[in-house]
Amino acid sequence: SQKIEQNSEALNIQEGKTATLTCNYTNYSPAYLQWYRQDPGRGPVFLLLIRENEKEKRKERLKVTFDTTLKQSLFHITASQPADSATYLCALDSGGANNLFFGTGTRLTVIP
Amino acid sequence: DTAVSQTPKYLVTQMGNDKSIKCEQNLGHDTMYWYKQDSKKFLKIMFSYNNKELIINETVPNRFSPKSPDKAHLNLHINSLELGDSAVYFCASSATSLPATGELFFGEGSRLTVL
């Protein structure tokens, strides 16, 4: 069956450290992968998109890697801040279809 | 101006009732979606729709039906509501029918509680 799993339901880190979130998928052949941020009571907000032929993408303090051999994406937040506390969702396509499928999410808490 | 807006934000109703959630986007996008987020925060696609094609997730009961009066609106109708329908429903839109070219813009969600 198809699965998109994110490493842990919750992750706590100290302010200033780098947070690393993992997204693993099985039985998908995505052309791209996206990361979203969701705050309580709000809709998800797009952060980054990385395509299958890209190894790494950066945006300010965010970095995403995509390894289609390992079927894994890593999402890094450097110099983390309490304001980065939120749930982070990875999402990918099913290969040729026009729908986006989401992972289980990781709730990140950055402790001051 | 809100890009993707949903109404109502909260909806409490009895089992067996029929209800609708409205969604409007002012981004000029041609594809809209409905997602369901359950109590475990898992976000699952229900429908995607553009002016040419409706794609239905096969696991969605036929009590759920999307209706699009025009390109900027995609409403969700739910018949014979069941307890298990309680969830937060998100509307979203994208610029094209291929999200590989860009991101989804989500509304703020509509929390449905079935008693």
Side-chain angles (χ1 to χ4, degrees):
Chain A
S1 62
Q2 293 178 313
K3 287 183 185 177
I4 307 170
E5 294 177 312
Q6 296 187 234
N7 56 326
S8 56
E9 193 173 320
L11 178 65
N12 297 332
I13 63 165
Q14 214 58 42
E15 183 176 4
K17 300 291 186 186
T18 296
T20 298
L21 284 64
T22 304
C23 177
N24 294 293
Y25 58 92
T26 53
N27 294 322
Y28 282 96
S29 297
Y32 61 91
L33 190 143
Q34 300 184 11
W35 283 89
Y36 287 76
R37 169 182 172 142
Q38 186 174 22
D39 290 287
R42 309 296 297 274
V45 175
F46 172 81
L47 295 174
L48 281 167
L49 179 153
I50 186 166
R51 302 186 191 285
E52 61 178 337
N53 60 351
E54 297 175 315
K55 294 295 184 187
E56 183 179 297
K57 206 80 170 278
R58 291 176 185 261
K59 179 182 176 183
E60 298 174 351
R61 294 184 295 110
L62 308 180
K63 184 178 87 170
V64 172
T65 63
F66 192 12
D67 189 326
T68 54
T69 301
L70 291 178
K71 297 187 185 298
Q72 180 182 81
S73 175
L74 298 179
F75 177 80
H76 306 273
I77 306 175
T78 58
S80 60
Q81 304 167 359
D84 295 327
S85 299
T87 295
Y88 291 87
L89 302 160
C90 67
L92 46 83
D93 69 307
S94 60
N98 62 351
N99 291 333
L100 202 59
F101 297 89
F102 282 81
T104 47
T106 296
R107 188 175 66 254
L108 174 68
T109 302
V110 181
I111 303 164
Chain B
D1 282 346
T2 304
V4 181
S5 58
Q6 302 178 222
T7 55
K9 190 171 174 66
Y10 299 97
L11 184 56
V12 181
T13 188
Q14 298 288 329
M15 264 196 320
N17 284 350
D18 303 337
K19 289 294 177 186
S20 296
I21 306 172
K22 295 184 178 181
C23 179
E24 175 182 3
Q25 54 94 5
N26 63 5
L27 297 167
H29 289 169
D30 64 2
T31 304
M32 297 182 72
Y33 310 80
W34 277 105
Y35 280 82
K36 177 181 180 181
Q37 189 167 48
D38 60 25
S39 56
K40 294 185 179 180
K41 307 299 183 187
F42 181 55
L43 200 59
K44 187 174 181 180
I45 188 162
M46 301 176 70
F47 307 99
S48 68
Y49 184 82
N50 62 23
N51 55 4
K52 299 174 187 174
E53 188 178 16
L54 169 67
I55 297 177
I56 302 171
N57 185 313
E58 61 187 12
T59 65
V60 175
N62 58 15
R63 297 181 295 104
F64 291 78
S65 58
K67 287 187 170 52
S68 180
D70 56 58
K71 204 172 96 167
H73 297 83
L74 183 66
N75 303 325
L76 181 65
H77 295 270
I78 316 170
N79 296 324
S80 303
L81 278 157
E82 299 177 358
L83 293 176
D85 298 333
S86 295
V88 181
Y89 292 84
F90 286 98
C91 177
S93 70
S94 64
T96 73
S97 60
L98 294 173
T101 59
E103 73 259 36
L104 296 188
F105 290 78
F106 282 86
E108 293 295 280
S110 297
R111 179 176 293 279
L112 171 65
T113 303
V114 182
L115 303 174

